[in-house]
């Protein structure tokens, strides 16, 4: 057993009662699970924000009871933004952006409150109480804020076309069909099955002490690689020739050794269907016991694994050791790495009561720091959202309060280590999530076009019952909340999955009587293109809804959509006869 228990999957929803249901997405249901291993929100489904007010999202608000981000002193309109090097003082992206606790600042004067109230009064109020300073149409069209925001040098299309776009195109028929459903394996304890990838031919998934590839259209088994123990962690990244990295236990659990160590790093060649190499390494401080790894990532041809007992980096192709991080006399160590287009690390120093975290951009070949940014006090854990551009999320002072692991985002210049902007992200307003102790496990967000795309929390829609949300974007240079947004639509909930060129691929979690959807969102205009709509047949939609968005691996590529579990557990007597799935997969023609 290598991971904390996963909250139980939601049971199938029943048809709606005569009156409006109390849960989200238009049907009664168990509340969605909370953060990774954290207590879930109170019963009743997603937390519903207060009724819309003139001072909605992103503006000064009266303190709200319950969990969430405590409102600090409001910012002042027209205040010049601070430049680089202000790690503890957030930039002011808009009037009255919430500030993290402990950042100081002066209270509003009566005159200033009048000024802000007047400014807020003329702002367009839309989207269930969320305010967007938009001068465009309310369907997510272009506006002054978004069209003037930085686009990272991406080329634009024709007039009104927004940014250049991506590879995923809408098929002639967007109605999907079930490609395959893989049964959940029977286990005697909580078992990690973390890791899933899509290659040009296969869907590859971690199983019980194995990695298995399936034909991505039919689900027939192509190959399987047995492992000596459970998979503990898996990189979300692949090389161009479809290699990826995993961490696994040295042996299977026994009565004498119930918790084998996750000390083996290996690389899977997903084209050849074999384990290229695997090895353990000893700590840089000496001793002969292999290091236990918590996470592994991939950047270029470098595999980097880290954890509380040490770290190491290897060559992708042959496993040759490249470097080990230095362990300082003061107890400093590399907490974990994030890969992709670049390599970065969260390095932890100090004591458990008073930790000091530093985020460093690294040379992947040597491990040498290219730049360093010291996180502000009050940050126990930090997660790297993106390595290029370098974006970090943290819960400063444990103020988020909802298990999301995020109170603020930090946009950092990877070349100099200077802070570009700190973006407050009120946990009562935004629904991105990061693993509290994992460095590279953020979800429900995407970074591209020099923007951070995040979903809002669910709120009441315009239908009689059910909830909805939006995807909005922050400029990573100014920290400003841009004016456009993508609306999920009544009774749907929109979650960013990844970037596709300059577009955002997003999943629309459906209401109880519909199948889910995949859409491509133009990164500038926020115009949505439907790529896939899943069947609404009862059995099919219930299988889809069994996979909690927060606790599942969700992949979409080339007209194929996969939802899979990260953990499986021993079945209870009540669900012994139910059809439970490890993976559900859909495809369009």
């Amino acid at each position: 057993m290598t991971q904390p228990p996963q909250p139980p999957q939601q049971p199938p929803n029943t048809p709606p009662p005569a009156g409006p249901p109390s849960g989200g997405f238009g049907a009664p249901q168990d509340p969605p699970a909370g953060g990774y291993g954290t207590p879930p929100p109170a019963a009743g489904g997603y937390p519903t924000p207060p009724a819309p007010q003139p001072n909605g999202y992103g503006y000064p608000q009266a303190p709200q009871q319950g969990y969430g981000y405590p409102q600090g002193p409001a910012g002042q309109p027209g205040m010049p933004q601070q430049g680089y090097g202000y790690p503890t003082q957030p930039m002011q992206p808009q009037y009255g952006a919430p500030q993290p606790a402990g950042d100081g600042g002066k209270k509003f004067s009566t005159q200033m409150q009048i000024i802000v109230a007047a400014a807020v009064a003329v702002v367009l109020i839309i989207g269930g109480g969320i305010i967007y300073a938009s001068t465009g149409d309310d369907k997510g069209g272009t506006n002054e804020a978004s069209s003037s925001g930085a686009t990272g040098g991406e080329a634009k299309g024709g007039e009104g076309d927004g940014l250049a776009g991506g590879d995923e195109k809408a098929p002639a028929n967007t109605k999907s069909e079930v490609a395959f459903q893989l049964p959940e394996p029977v286990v005697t304890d909580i078992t990690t099955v973390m890791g899933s990838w899509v290659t040009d031919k296969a869907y590859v998934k971690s199983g019980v002490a194995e990695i298995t590839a399936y034909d991505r259209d039919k689900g027939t088994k192509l190959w399987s690689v047995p492992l000596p123990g459970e998979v503990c962690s898996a990189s979300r990244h692949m090389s161009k020739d479809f290699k990826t990295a995993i961490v696994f236990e040295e042996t299977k659990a026994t009565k004498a050794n119930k918790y084998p160590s996750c000390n083996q790093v290996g690389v899977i060649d997903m084209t050849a269907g074999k384990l290229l190499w695997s090895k353990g390494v000893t700590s840089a401080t000496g001793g002969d016991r292999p290091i236990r790894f918590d996470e592994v990532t991939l950047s270029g041809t470098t595999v980097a694994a880290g954890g509380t007992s040490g770290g190491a980096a290897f060559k992708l192709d042959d496993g040759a050791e490249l470097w080990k991080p230095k362990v300082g006399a003061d107890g400093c160590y590399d907490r974990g790495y994030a890969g992709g287009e670049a390599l970065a690390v969260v390095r932890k120093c100090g004591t458990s009561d008073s930790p000091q975290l530093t985020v460093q951009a690294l040379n992947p070949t040597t491990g040498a720091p290219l730049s360093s940014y010291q996180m502000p006090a009050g940050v126990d854990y930090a997660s790297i959202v993106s390595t290029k551009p370098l974006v970090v999320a943290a819960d400063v002072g444990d103020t988020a309060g909802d298990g999301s692991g995020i109170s603020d985002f930090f946009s950092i210049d990877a070349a100099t280590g200077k802070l570009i902007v700190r973006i407050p992200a009120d946990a009562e307003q935004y629904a991105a999530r990061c693993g509290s102790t994992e460095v590279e496990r953020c979800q429900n967000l995407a970074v591209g076009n020099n923007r951070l795309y995040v979903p809002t929390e669910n709120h009441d829609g315009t239908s009689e019952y059910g909830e909805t949300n939006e995807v909005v974007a922050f400029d990573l240079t100014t920290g400003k909340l841009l004016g456009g947004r993508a609306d999920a639509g009544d009774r749907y909930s929109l979650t960013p999955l990844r970037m596709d060129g300059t577009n955002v691929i997003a999943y629309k979690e459906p209401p109880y009587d519909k199948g889910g959807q995949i859409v491509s969102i133009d990164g500038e205009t926020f115009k949505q293109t439907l790529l896939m709509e899943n069947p609404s047949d009862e059995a099919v939609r219930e299988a889809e809804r069994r996979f909690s968005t927060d606790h599942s691996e969700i992949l979409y590529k080339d007209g194929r959509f996969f939802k899979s579990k990260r953990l499986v557990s021993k079945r209870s007597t009540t669900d012994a006869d139910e059809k439970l799935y490890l993976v559900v997969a859909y495809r369009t023609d």
Side-chain angles (χ1 to χ4, degrees), residues 474-510:
F474 290 94
D475 187 293
L476 290 174
T477 299
T478 67
K480 289 183 178 179
L481 179 65
L482 301 178
R485 93 278 182 197
D487 296 314
D490 272 342
R491 303 194 300 145
Y492 285 86
S493 180
L494 194 56
T495 300
L497 300 179
R498 62 174 175 87
M499 296 301 297
D500 173 37
T502 57
N503 295 340
V504 180
I505 301 299
Y507 173 57
K508 281 190 175 182
E509 189 170 357

Side-chain angles (χ1 to χ4, degrees), residues 152-525:
E154 298 287 353
K156 296 196 175 188
E159 184 177 353
D161 289 339
L163 298 173
D167 295 329
E168 305 288 358
K169 306 300 180 185
N173 180 10
T174 58
K175 297 289 187 180
S176 72
E177 60 183 20
V178 175
F180 58 88
Q181 297 172 325
L182 302 179
E184 182 181 282
V186 176
V187 297
T188 58
D189 203 344
I190 297 172
T191 303
T192 305
V193 287
M194 187 179 300
S196 57
W197 307 266
V198 183
T199 73
D200 57 342
K201 294 181 175 64
Y203 171 75
V204 184
K205 174 64 184 168
S206 295
V208 179
E210 66 178 359
I211 305 292
T212 304
Y214 305 89
D215 182 288
R216 62 183 196 174
D217 291 332
K218 303 174 184 177
T220 52
K221 185 181 290 189
L222 300 178
W223 51 260
S224 183
V225 175
L227 300 171
E230 288 181 25
V231 175
C232 310
S233 180
S235 173
R236 65 178 60 180
H237 308 291
M238 299 184 296
S239 63
K240 292 182 179 179
D241 56 352
F242 304 119
K243 296 183 179 73
T244 194
I246 58 173
V247 167
F248 54 94
E249 294 173 341
E250 60 186 347
T251 185
K252 290 183 173 67
T254 63
K255 289 184 179 180
N257 183 13
K258 292 184 178 180
Y259 306 103
S261 179
C262 297
N263 56 30
Q264 296 298 301
V265 180
V267 163
I268 299 289
D269 184 331
M270 294 184 288
T271 298
K274 64 180 182 179
L275 180 67
L276 286 185
W277 57 265
S278 64
K279 61 174 55 179
V281 295
T282 56
S283 172
T285 58
D288 56 1
R289 291 184 62 83
I291 296 172
R292 178 186 175 92
F293 296 110
D294 299 326
E295 287 185 275
V296 65
T297 195
L298 174 65
S299 180
T301 58
T302 296
V303 173
T308 56
S309 60
F314 313 86
K315 286 185 179 181
L316 175 66
D317 289 337
D318 59 13
E321 188 174 309
L322 291 173
W323 46 266
K324 289 181 182 178
K326 294 181 179 178
V327 179
D330 55 356
C332 295
Y333 64 93
D334 285 8
R335 182 68 186 85
Y337 304 94
E341 292 189 61
L343 185 66
V345 64
V346 173
R347 190 164 174 81
K348 189 171 185 177
C349 299
T351 64
S352 58
D353 294 333
S354 181
Q356 178 58 64
L357 302 186
T358 301
V359 177
Q360 296 178 329
L362 300 180
N363 180 319
T365 303
T366 66
L370 303 176
S371 66
S372 296
Y373 170 73
Q374 184 170 301
M375 297 295 292
V379 176
D380 294 332
Y381 301 97
S383 297
I384 298 174
V385 177
S386 166
T387 58
K388 189 176 182 180
L390 183 54
V391 180
V392 176
D395 185 359
V396 182
D398 295 324
T399 52
D402 66 339
S404 66
I406 305 170
S407 68
D408 297 80
F409 292 100
F410 298 78
S411 176
I412 301 167
D413 186 336
T416 65
K418 292 182 178 180
L419 179 69
I420 299 173
V421 66
R422 175 174 169 177
I423 304 172
D426 189 332
E428 290 186 342
Q429 299 173 16
Y430 304 110
R433 309 187 73 81
C434 292
S436 59
T437 59
E438 295 96 341
V439 168
E440 195 181 30
R441 185 141 157 225
C442 293
Q443 64 185 63
N444 305 355
L445 75 176
V447 174
N449 312 321
N450 198 45
R451 297 170 182 181
L452 169 67
Y453 297 91
V454 296
T456 66
E457 291 283 3
N458 288 358
H459 55 80
D460 289 339
T462 59
S463 63
E464 184 179 357
Y465 58 86
E467 296 181 327
T468 187
N469 77 335
E470 298 79 29
V471 168
V472 298
F474 290 94
D475 187 293
L476 290 174
T477 299
T478 67
K480 289 183 178 179
L481 179 65
L482 301 178
R485 93 278 182 197
D487 296 314
D490 272 342
R491 303 194 300 145
Y492 285 86
S493 180
L494 194 56
T495 300
L497 300 179
R498 62 174 175 87
M499 296 301 297
D500 173 37
T502 57
N503 295 340
V504 180
I505 301 299
Y507 173 57
K508 281 190 175 182
E509 189 170 357
Y512 78 94
D513 55 349
K514 301 287 186 182
Q517 297 179 357
I518 295 292
V519 296
S520 177
I521 303 171
D522 185 286
E524 182 180 12
T525 67

Side-chain angles (χ1 to χ4, degrees), residues 33-51:
Y36 304 96
T38 60
Y46 286 90
T48 303

Side-chain angles (χ1 to χ4, degrees), residues 106-181:
K106 298 180 179 179
K107 294 183 178 180
F108 258 168
S109 66
T110 301
Q111 181 180 10
M112 193 55 64
Q113 293 179 29
I114 294 173
I115 293 172
V116 171
V120 172
V122 299
V123 177
L124 179 63
I125 303 175
I126 56 178
I130 302 175
I131 295 185
Y132 304 90
S134 173
T135 57
D137 63 73
D138 64 358
K139 300 182 184 295
T142 56
N143 55 69
E144 290 182 358
S146 64
S147 62
S148 63
T151 60
E154 298 287 353
K156 296 196 175 188
E159 184 177 353
D161 289 339
L163 298 173
D167 295 329
E168 305 288 358
K169 306 300 180 185
N173 180 10
T174 58
K175 297 289 187 180
S176 72
E177 60 183 20
V178 175
F180 58 88
Q181 297 172 325

